[in-house]
């Protein structure tokens, strides 16, 4: 195991997932660099996160995705770049890709995705380019010949699962529950910190080079019917089930203004179209994280539901 660990630049390290990525990077003994904007020092939460990363041994580099010179300076100091920025800003990675291409030293780039596979979602006309922007970044990376790994962790547990997939609610229902479609289509949820651990594990792994890493951990792939059954048995109570058809959900999506309809759009994508699970990972040329890294422990859906009781 004497092989030297790659030096890693994290972009978005004060964000929710980015912070986990930076922490895990340090934990897995990678020399860790975090790009910070001047403006991120205003927000006390961000300030606290950046300070704690610095204390834990991360090197802070000043720069931003709008400043190409700062990007080239940062990128030339590392071997791997991991980007985790809000989905609205996905196209802001274009200058970064140019800097990576120019620097010529990057052995792996992990662009900001961390969701469903944008090349396989079946809702293109509905999602306000949420996925097409990500696909556009993939094509740019591939055209430039930049080595990559794309991380498709599907849904983070902090999204939709706290309400048992009830759009508009923040806590799980105790009396009636909506089930979308027939309730048998399976979706995947992975905890943020677990996504970070799988991501950092791939950085120096030749098996994930120029591949899509999918996460479908056993115990984290559930249909809505299975989620409701699991929750009912935990609260020892039967819920009244209200089935919402595909047509009804689509009507509601069209009547609700963007971005307020995004939760419902994700529900449609995952639990009606089956965008997380309709294809075979290996047959599609991808690799599955829990098969590659069986030693990594992760939070299961059942364990997560226990925290909501």
């Amino acid at each position: 195991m004497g092989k030297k660990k790659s030096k890693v630049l994290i972009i978005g390290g004060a964000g929710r997932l980015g912070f986990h990525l930076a922490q895990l990077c340090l934990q897995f003994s990678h020399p860790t660099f975090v790009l910070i904007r001047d403006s991120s020092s205003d927000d006390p939460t961000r300030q606290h996160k950046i300070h704690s990363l610095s204390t834990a041994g991360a090197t802070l580099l000043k720069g931003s995705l709008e400043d190409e010179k700062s990007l080239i300076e940062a990128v030339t100091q590392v071997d791997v770049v991991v980007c985790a920025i809000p989905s609205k800003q996905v196209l802001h990675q274009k200058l970064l890709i140019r800097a990576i291409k120019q620097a010529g030293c990057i052995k792996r780039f992990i662009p900001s995705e961390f969701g469903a596979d944008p090349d396989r979602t079946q809702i293109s006309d509905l999602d306000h380019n949420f996925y097409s922007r990500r696909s556009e970044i993939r094509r740019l990376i591939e055209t430039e010949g930049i080595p990559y790994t794309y991380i498709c962790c599907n849904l983070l547990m902090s999204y939709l699962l706290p309400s048992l997939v009830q759009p508009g609610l923040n806590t799980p229902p105790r009396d009636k529950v909506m089930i979308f479609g027939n309730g048998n289509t399976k979706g995947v949820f992975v905890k943020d910190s677990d996504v970070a651990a799988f991501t950092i594990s791939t950085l120096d792994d030749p098996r994930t080079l120029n591949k899509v890493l999918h996460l479908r951990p056993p115990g984290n792939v559930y249909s809505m019917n299975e989620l409701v059954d699991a929750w009912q048995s935990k609260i020892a109570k039967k819920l009244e089930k209200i089935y919402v058809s595909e047509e009804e959900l689509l009507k509601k999506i069209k009547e609700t203004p963007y971005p307020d309809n995004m939760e419902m759009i994700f529900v449609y994508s995952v639990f009606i179209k089956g965008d997380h699970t309709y294809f075979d990972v290996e047959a599609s040329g991808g690799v599955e994280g829990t098969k590659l890294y069986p030693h990594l422990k992760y939070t299961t859906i059942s364990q997560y539901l226990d925290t909501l009781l």
Side-chain angles (χ1 to χ4, degrees):
M1 285 310 288
K3 201 168 159 296
K4 266 181 66 197
K5 298 250 183 170
S6 281
K7 299 198 280 282
V8 181
L9 172 66
I10 307 276
I11 296 173
R16 193 172 63 198
L17 183 60
F19 183 59
H20 286 298
L21 286 162
Q23 284 181 311
L24 265 295
C25 214
L26 289 161
Q27 225 170 294
F28 288 14
S29 314
H30 285 275
T32 305
F33 298 75
V34 178
L35 191 75
I36 55 160
R37 301 190 305 269
D38 282 336
S39 62
S40 53
S41 53
D42 322 334
D43 175 349
T45 337
R46 293 177 76 86
Q47 228 175 353
H48 175 73
K49 285 177 173 176
I50 288 163
H51 179 72
S52 80
L53 291 174
S54 167
T55 308
T59 304
L60 305 180
L61 302 175
K62 278 272 177 354
S64 86
L65 288 174
E66 288 77 53
D67 175 0
E68 193 172 4
K69 189 171 163 289
S70 73
L71 292 175
I72 291 172
E73 278 174 17
V75 163
T76 46
Q77 300 184 55
V78 298
D79 312 299
V80 171
V81 177
V82 180
C83 194
I85 55 176
S87 53
K88 293 185 288 290
Q89 298 169 15
V90 162
L91 292 179
H92 296 190
Q93 295 174 104
K94 287 181 175 179
L95 214 50
L96 172 63
I97 290 170
R98 210 159 86 186
I100 289 172
K101 177 77 174 169
Q102 205 174 319
C105 59
I106 295 303
K107 301 207 287 273
R108 192 87 58 108
F109 176 39
I110 316 275
S112 196
E113 282 202 12
F114 307 104
D117 188 332
D119 291 343
R120 296 190 182 279
T121 53
Q122 310 165 93
I123 54 161
S124 53
D125 51 336
L126 272 186
D127 66 350
H128 303 275
N129 298 321
F130 184 89
Y131 289 114
S132 63
R133 288 194 292 259
R134 297 173 181 210
S135 292
E136 186 182 331
I137 289 297
R138 284 188 175 191
R139 301 297 85 82
L140 191 57
I141 292 166
E142 292 153 13
T143 304
E144 294 293 4
I146 293 167
Y148 64 82
T149 301
Y150 304 139
I151 309 290
C152 296
C153 59
N154 300 306
L155 279 172
L156 298 173
M157 281 183 172
S158 50
Y159 189 76
L160 285 175
L161 199 54
S163 70
L164 212 69
V165 195
Q166 303 296 296
L169 292 188
N170 298 320
T171 54
R174 297 272 175 167
D175 39 15
K176 46 172 149 279
V177 61
M178 286 188 295
I179 293 177
F180 299 94
N182 61 17
N184 295 327
T185 305
K186 292 178 192 271
V188 183
F189 292 91
V190 188
K191 196 174 176 186
D192 309 38
S193 49
D194 297 334
V195 171
F198 283 105
T199 302
I200 302 304
S201 299
T202 72
L203 300 184
D204 288 328
D205 186 347
R207 297 173 300 175
T208 57
L209 182 62
N210 299 333
K211 292 269 187 194
V212 184
L213 179 83
H214 295 271
L215 295 183
R216 287 187 192 170
N220 292 39
V221 183
Y222 271 59
S223 69
M224 283 210 71
N225 287 329
E226 289 168 333
L227 274 179
V228 170
D229 287 347
W231 182 243
Q232 288 183 145
S233 70
K234 287 180 191 296
I235 62 171
K237 185 184 174 193
K238 278 264 183 278
L239 301 179
E240 181 197 335
K241 294 176 181 164
I242 300 156
Y243 284 86
V244 178
S245 72
E246 177 170 351
E247 295 69 37
E248 287 173 88
L249 180 60
L250 282 171
K251 186 169 174 285
K252 196 114 169 43
I253 286 170
K254 296 205 164 79
E255 288 167 355
T256 309
Y258 171 82
D260 300 341
N261 58 5
M262 282 308 285
E263 274 195 344
M264 289 187 285
I265 290 167
F266 289 122
V267 169
Y268 174 70
S269 161
V270 176
F271 291 104
I272 288 184
K273 300 300 279 186
D275 284 346
H276 289 176
T277 52
Y278 77 90
F279 58 94
D280 180 89
V281 168
E282 278 83 13
S284 73
V287 287
E288 201 283 316
T290 52
K291 289 182 184 161
L292 291 185
Y293 313 111
H295 61 285
L296 285 182
K297 299 256 182 293
Y298 57 86
T299 299
T300 63
I301 284 180
S302 178
Q303 289 166 335
Y304 182 79
L305 292 178
D306 287 339
T307 69
L308 302 176
L309 289 167

